[in-house]
Amino acid sequence: MQNHVRAAVVQTGSAMFDIDATLDKVEKNAVLAAQQGAQLVVFPEAFVSAYPKGLDFGSTIGGRTPGGREDYRRYYDSAIEVPSVHSERLAQIAGDLNLYIVIGVIERSGGTLYCTALFLGPEGRLLGKHRKLMPTAGERLVWGSGDGSTLPIFDTPFGRLGAVICWENYMPLMRMAMYAKGVQIYCAPTADNRPTWVPTMQHVALEGRCFVLSACQHLRRKDAPEWYQAIQGNDPETVLMRGGSCIISPLGEILAGPVFDEDDILVHDLDLADLARAKYDFDVAGHYARSDIFRLHVNEAPMPPVVFE
């Protein structure tokens, strides 16, 4: 394993509901990160091509509106299939720039949308994906739930790479599963831009004794299409998401960020020897686990609704 890795976290907003324009933003920001020497770049949750902050999709308990169905149709059309020409373009960006990229996308599969993190490698290929296990609150209107078959960890020259999306980070058993897989570079694409998020990331890093890279969008009303009826209002400069991206050490120290209310690319050199230094007195899935008392069972089998035999 190499001794250091230069990691970057991108904080900017999607070109909402526009796949091609958003992929252009991915390429632009990946180039900027690569120019600063980054080897790994993390983008926010649902970056391709929208986290629909403030939309209600016309839903109340027991009722849906035609306008809400049209909003969903637009969202569905701006999602991407995996694999597809769009995921291939993301892989090409990673390959052209010799980067590992972790990025949030809205994945379309059949009639269902999933909040997914894609992993792209410097060889220019899709390494794999993680589908968010538990959409939060109103997200459940428009996203399906992933299953245990997409909980990957990838061996890289700089350690074991994984991702946990937004409020999955509040699921203790989810975190424990990732720690047991040996995650060392823990990516946390998110839409949570509250002040409480950074302490959560510090806790995760300290608990898992891993580096945590969290990316959140800086998104304004002008990044959304004209028809977008968010509850925040229609002033083009209205902030829909204010960021808060950060990079945290395995001892919970803030290495970069948090940054609010502006676009930015956070870059930091991670000393990978800090991983072992941090495990000296605490290994949550090792010498601190007490497996004689506590044990977690993780089902990683795919759970299709129909099985043909």
Side-chain angles (χ1 to χ4, degrees):
M1 189 168 80
Q2 63 190 54
N3 295 325
H4 292 81
V5 62
R6 193 159 176 83
V9 170
V10 173
Q11 177 167 294
T12 188
S14 308
M16 298 181 75
F17 293 83
D18 187 329
I19 300 174
D20 292 332
T22 297
L23 292 178
D24 288 344
K25 291 196 76 172
V26 173
E27 183 169 16
K28 173 186 173 183
N29 283 278
V31 167
L32 291 172
Q35 289 172 346
Q36 296 180 65
Q39 299 163 271
L40 166 65
V41 182
V42 181
F43 285 83
E45 178 182 17
F47 194 77
V48 183
S49 65
Y51 184 90
K53 189 72 175 282
L55 288 190
D56 61 16
F57 290 88
S59 181
T60 57
I61 293 178
R64 264 72 62 196
T65 67
R69 292 186 184 279
E70 180 62 10
D71 286 346
Y72 182 80
R73 193 275 306 167
R74 292 175 174 129
Y75 199 33
Y76 185 86
D77 286 349
S78 73
I80 68 171
E81 296 182 347
V82 181
S84 67
V85 294
H86 302 110
S87 64
E88 288 173 4
R89 183 177 175 194
L90 289 169
Q92 182 179 354
I93 292 168
D96 289 346
L97 297 172
N98 194 34
L99 292 173
Y100 285 89
I101 293 177
V102 180
I103 184 168
V105 306
I106 300 303
E107 178 192 0
R108 183 174 68 228
S109 179
T112 299
L113 304 181
Y114 296 93
C115 179
T116 299
L118 299 186
F119 300 81
L120 299 313
E123 304 85 2
R125 63 186 182 91
L126 174 67
L127 302 178
K129 67 184 180 184
H130 163 55
R131 285 179 174 172
K132 192 174 185 178
L133 294 180
M134 193 66 247
T136 300
E139 294 172 355
R140 297 174 204 168
L141 294 170
V142 291
W143 297 344
S145 298
D147 62 27
S149 67
T150 65
L151 298 176
I153 293 288
F154 298 96
D155 288 313
T156 74
F158 48 81
R160 296 176 67 78
L161 177 69
V164 179
I165 303 170
C166 203
W167 276 24
E168 289 185 317
N169 287 280
Y170 290 118
M171 301 170 69
L173 303 186
M174 171 77 171
R175 299 198 309 270
M176 187 61 175
M178 297 301 285
Y179 303 151
K181 285 172 175 275
V183 65
Q184 296 172 305
I185 310 294
Y186 183 117
C187 301
T190 189
D192 191 332
N193 58 181
R194 300 172 304 163
T196 50
W197 184 250
V198 174
T200 293
M201 296 295 93
Q202 291 179 277
H203 172 85
V204 170
L206 191 59
E207 180 180 68
R209 293 310 207 248
C210 51
F211 289 101
V212 172
L213 282 61
S214 182
C216 184
Q217 295 193 46
H218 168 233
L219 186 69
R220 294 179 182 261
R221 175 62 182 82
K222 63 186 178 183
D223 299 314
E226 185 175 336
W227 55 262
Y228 195 82
Q229 296 298 314
I231 60 172
Q232 294 91 337
N234 285 318
D235 184 323
E237 293 303 318
T238 294
V239 175
L240 303 181
M241 279 193 280
R242 59 186 300 255
S245 303
C246 58
I247 300 175
I248 313 293
S249 83
L251 287 178
E253 302 158 331
I254 298 175
L255 302 176
V259 176
F260 293 97
D261 300 317
E262 61 180 299
D263 285 11
D264 202 358
I265 300 176
L266 284 63
V267 180
H268 196 85
D269 288 314
L270 309 184
D271 180 357
L272 300 174
D274 284 345
L275 294 163
R277 295 182 183 113
K279 290 285 179 74
Y280 163 58
D281 53 357
F282 188 85
D283 182 4
V284 71
H287 63 249
Y288 230 90
R290 288 306 306 270
S291 57
D292 56 323
I293 302 172
F294 307 109
R295 187 162 294 181
L296 171 64
H297 174 82
V298 181
N299 180 10
E300 292 194 299
M303 290 290 146
V306 179
V307 178
F308 296 94
E309 295 181 350

